[in-house]
């Protein structure tokens, strides 16, 4: 990267009229090879909304807002003294990745061998690992490491499944704020579970009290305003098997109270379908519901009778949703509830494949989640890579080759939409916060070589798509050299 003398500005006639700058505005322009998904497309429209600007400029004002994204030669003119130009050379500029499902207490649990699928893995490996966060020194360390991994992976915004322990959540929010990243998180709520989960369990009353305290302390703690805050909170029952009907009733009451403050809900849905004793059958048997989603929709009494308030809505994200009925998909779409799609994790735990076409056709927003630690990758493009593979491998006519634009959309703009923050970040539209990554392929030789020597079509659009595909599938952490949130460089913790 070099900081350039601004030099002569482009002629004013080249400047699009709507991007003329107030001469007093101080700006920074980042030069590089830009890819993003412009506008507000659906996933089906994402390929058409893909923008590539090889000789690109991203101009950011002193509040961290994007004032221009386009070709370098037509960037808006301003007095040279108010413009700083950073030339990133051959590097790519991409929107920051959005991880809509990641477990902070599982930072050290990727590749944990539990000798089985979801429920065995949770009982043998995960509950004991999560119990360690009760120790404040351990909590501070894991919060630092979690934050550092996020930065290394370019995850500028994340919906983070939290720890059972307030001390650990405190460490997480503190580190995240110091780094300048965006987060939505909440303590993982468990009121029932096997012996190995005992240290994570609380009474219903304590669960409500702790969630309330966390919301009061951390929700919008930085700006006080849900439309600008980087720190936000969620109510997070671990999954239906970790709570009772009484817990769900009380969580419904709490959510009805805090929903107007912009608080989120996050949990797991329809992940493991092993017949008999797997997650989904266990939920159906335990609650006597028709559909798993009913437990989160206030219909958690036998026969799916109404027992309380719904937890669904625009600020609710369900992780996995692999094995949904049509009724569940329709209900999620109707309520604006989104899905965190986690194919890396689904492969790791043998959870199956979310039917892509059927889920898209239902109209539910699908964003990407690493699901660390069941997901053994921190990098959202690794999730997109596995999404490409598993959906191409779906049986018969369900097989789909996701377009590189759809992949980029799923890892960026769809994540912002799932978090109900699309108007703030997710792409490089003017007016949004400048959340972006600098990717230097030379820092990962395999990527650099694939970009340089890979076959490219003669047709420029097809060649563009191939380049983006190579970039997304070949990307690894070392090639992400700079991470920015709202125009400011994010630094890892000391
Ligand atoms: N379901 C309940 N808890 C978990 C968890 O920690 N990870 C995953 N993948 N699924 C869950
Ligand atoms: Zn999970």
């Amino acid at each position: 990267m070099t900081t350039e003398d601004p030099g002569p500005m482009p002629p004013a006639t080249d400047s699009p009229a709507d991007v003329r700058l107030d001469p007093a505005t101080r700006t920074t322009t980042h030069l590089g090879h830009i890819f993003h998904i412009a506008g507000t497309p659906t996933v089906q429209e994402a390929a058409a909304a893909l923008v590539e600007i090889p000789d690109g400029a991203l101009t950011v004002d002193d509040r961290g807002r994007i004032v221009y994204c386009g070709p370098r030669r037509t960037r808006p003119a301003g007095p040279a003294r108010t413009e700083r130009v950073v030339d990133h050379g051959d590097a790519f500029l991409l929107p920051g990745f959005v991880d809509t499902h990641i477990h902070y207490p599982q930072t050290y649990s990727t590749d944990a061998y539990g000798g089985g699928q979801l429920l065995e893995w949770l009982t043998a490996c995960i509950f004991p690992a999560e119990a360690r966060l009760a120790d404040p020194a351990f909590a501070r360390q894991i919060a630092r490491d979690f934050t550092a991994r996020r930065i290394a992976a370019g995850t500028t915004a994340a919906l983070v499944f939290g720890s059972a322990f307030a001390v650990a959540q405190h460490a997480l929010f503190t580190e995240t704020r110091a780094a300048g990243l965006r987060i939505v998180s909440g303590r993982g709520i468990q009121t029932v579970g096997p012996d190995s989960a005992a240290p994570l369990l609380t009474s219903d009353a304590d669960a409500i009290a702790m969630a309330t305290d966390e919301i009061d302390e951390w929700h919008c703690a930085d700006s006080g305003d849900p439309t600008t805050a980087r720190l936000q909170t969620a109510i997070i029952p671990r999954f239906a098997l970790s709570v009772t009907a009484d817990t769900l009733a009380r969580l419904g009451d709490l959510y009805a109270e805090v929903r107007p403050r912009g608080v989120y809900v996050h949990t797991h849905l329809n992940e493991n379908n092993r017949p008999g004793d797997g997650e989904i059958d266990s939920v159906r048997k335990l609650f006597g519901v028709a559909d798993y989603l009913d437990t989160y929709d206030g219909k958690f009494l036998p026969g799916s009778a109404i027992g309380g308030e719904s937890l669904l809505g625009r600020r609710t994200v369900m992780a996995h949703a692999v094995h949904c009925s049509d009724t569940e998909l329709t209900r999620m779409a109707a309520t604006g509830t989104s899905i965190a799609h986690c194919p890396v994790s689904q492969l790791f735990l043998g959870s199956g494949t979310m039917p892509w076409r059927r889920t898209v056709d239902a109209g539910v927003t699908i964003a990407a989640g690493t699901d660390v630690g069941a997901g053994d990758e921190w990098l959202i493009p690794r999730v997109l890579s596995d999404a490409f593979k598993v959906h191409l491998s779906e049986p018969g006519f369900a097989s789909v080759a996701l377009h590189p634009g759809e992949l980029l959309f799923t890892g960026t703009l769809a994540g912002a939409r799932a978090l109900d923050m699309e108007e703030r970040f997710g792409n490089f539209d003017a007016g949004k916060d400048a959340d972006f990554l600098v990717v230097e392929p030379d820092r990962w030789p395999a990527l650099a070589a694939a970009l340089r020597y890979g076959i490219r079509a003669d047709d420029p659009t097809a060649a563009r798509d191939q380049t983006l595909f190579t970039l997304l599938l070949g990307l690894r952490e070392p090639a992400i050299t700079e991470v920015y949130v709202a125009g400011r460089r994010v630094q890892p913790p000391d």
Side-chain angles (χ1 to χ4, degrees):
M1 156 182 121
T2 58
T3 301
E4 198 190 71
D5 182 298
M9 296 307 292
T13 47
D14 255 8
S15 285
D18 59 344
V19 292
R20 279 185 205 285
L21 289 176
D22 177 336
T25 305
R26 302 194 76 82
T27 61
T28 303
T29 294
H30 295 267
L31 303 177
H33 187 152
I34 289 173
F35 275 110
H36 79 125
I37 304 294
T40 56
T42 62
V43 64
Q44 294 100 323
E45 296 163 345
L50 173 61
V51 172
E52 180 191 36
I53 313 166
D55 198 8
L58 186 68
T59 301
V60 183
D61 70 14
D62 46 13
R63 292 179 307 160
R65 299 256 169 83
I66 296 167
V67 292
Y68 174 78
C69 172
R72 177 178 179 166
R73 68 185 166 75
T74 55
R75 72 184 196 267
R81 70 188 155 70
T82 63
E83 191 190 31
R84 188 173 150 254
V85 179
V86 184
D87 189 347
H88 296 281
D90 292 339
F92 292 90
L93 306 181
L94 298 178
F97 298 127
V98 183
D99 189 342
T100 57
H101 182 61
I102 180 165
H103 292 260
Y104 147 62
Q106 296 173 24
T107 295
Y108 307 131
S109 301
T110 53
D111 311 310
Y113 176 67
Q117 295 188 337
L118 172 65
L119 299 182
E120 295 79 50
W121 170 82
L122 284 173
T123 304
C125 305
I126 296 307
F127 295 149
E130 295 199 0
R132 300 178 70 194
L133 278 78
D135 172 2
F138 186 82
R140 278 194 299 278
Q141 176 197 316
I142 197 169
R144 266 201 305 277
D145 285 345
F146 177 80
T147 305
R149 300 262 155 79
R150 272 192 63 187
I151 297 169
T155 300
T156 49
L159 176 50
V160 179
F161 220 96
S163 163
F165 305 106
V167 68
Q169 286 301 98
H170 195 280
L172 173 67
F173 281 115
T174 303
E175 286 296 340
T176 307
R177 171 154 63 185
L181 293 168
R182 299 183 195 276
I183 190 168
V184 178
S185 185
R187 71 174 290 273
I189 295 169
Q190 295 180 245
T191 56
V192 285
D195 287 350
S196 69
L200 309 175
L201 307 186
T202 68
S203 66
D204 284 341
D206 285 349
I208 299 301
M210 292 171 83
T212 306
D213 287 351
E214 183 174 40
I215 292 165
D216 289 344
E217 182 174 3
W218 289 109
H219 192 64
C220 306
D222 52 332
S223 75
D225 175 357
T227 65
T228 57
R230 293 188 195 182
L231 306 178
Q232 301 203 52
T233 59
I235 295 173
I236 305 191
R238 181 168 209 123
F239 63 165
L241 296 180
S242 289
V243 289
T244 65
D246 282 344
T247 320
L248 288 166
R250 289 178 186 231
L251 290 177
D253 290 343
L254 174 62
Y255 196 47
E257 205 181 302
V258 298
R259 197 192 274 264
R261 290 162 64 185
V263 172
Y264 291 76
V265 169
H266 186 36
T267 188
H268 296 93
L269 175 74
N270 283 326
E271 178 178 3
N272 177 276
N273 73 338
R274 187 168 63 202
D277 64 348
E279 177 207 22
I280 298 171
D281 276 1
S282 300
V283 169
R284 287 214 186 97
K285 267 190 255 169
L286 207 66
F287 289 88
V289 289
D291 279 325
Y292 190 158
L293 187 71
D294 293 340
T295 61
Y296 304 135
D297 198 12
K299 299 186 285 182
F300 46 75
L301 296 180
S304 295
I306 293 176
E309 302 281 347
S310 177
L311 297 174
L312 307 187
R314 294 175 62 86
R315 291 201 159 199
T316 300
V317 179
M318 295 288 158
H320 299 292
V322 175
H323 309 283
C324 289
S325 66
D326 288 343
T327 314
E328 289 174 305
L329 291 176
T330 304
R331 180 68 181 147
M332 281 192 277
T335 54
T337 300
S338 301
I339 293 173
H341 181 33
C342 311
V344 177
S345 157
Q346 286 146 19
L347 287 165
F348 183 80
L349 287 177
S351 304
T353 300
M354 185 194 80
W356 180 267
R357 283 184 200 278
R358 208 178 122 237
T359 311
V360 165
D361 288 347
V364 191
T365 297
I366 304 168
T370 57
D371 197 19
V372 159
D376 58 353
E377 298 280 359
W378 289 78
L379 194 62
I380 282 294
R382 302 308 299 142
V383 176
L384 305 177
S385 170
D386 276 359
F388 181 82
K389 295 167 199 161
V390 299
H391 297 303
L392 192 60
S393 303
E394 286 194 60
F397 292 118
S399 169
V400 53
L402 293 177
H403 188 278
E406 292 174 317
L407 296 175
L408 182 62
F409 170 82
T410 303
T412 57
L413 192 59
R417 187 173 299 167
L419 297 185
D420 197 24
M421 290 193 256
E422 187 176 3
E423 71 290 353
R424 293 168 59 188
F425 58 87
N427 63 12
F428 295 151
D429 286 355
K432 288 195 182 183
D433 286 354
D435 289 13
F436 68 97
L437 315 176
V438 178
V439 174
E440 294 183 33
D442 286 342
R443 299 294 187 98
W444 190 251
L447 173 61
L451 286 167
R452 198 165 295 134
Y453 302 119
I455 295 296
R456 292 291 176 269
D458 293 334
D459 171 59
T461 302
R464 173 202 69 176
D465 297 346
Q466 290 171 327
T467 297
L468 177 59
F469 192 73
T470 300
L471 183 59
L472 291 176
L473 268 70
L475 185 59
R476 299 293 185 275
E477 276 94 335
I480 299 176
T481 53
E482 297 176 28
V483 177
Y484 292 79
V485 171
R488 304 225 9 208
R489 181 125 181 235
V490 172
Q491 298 289 359
D494 297 332

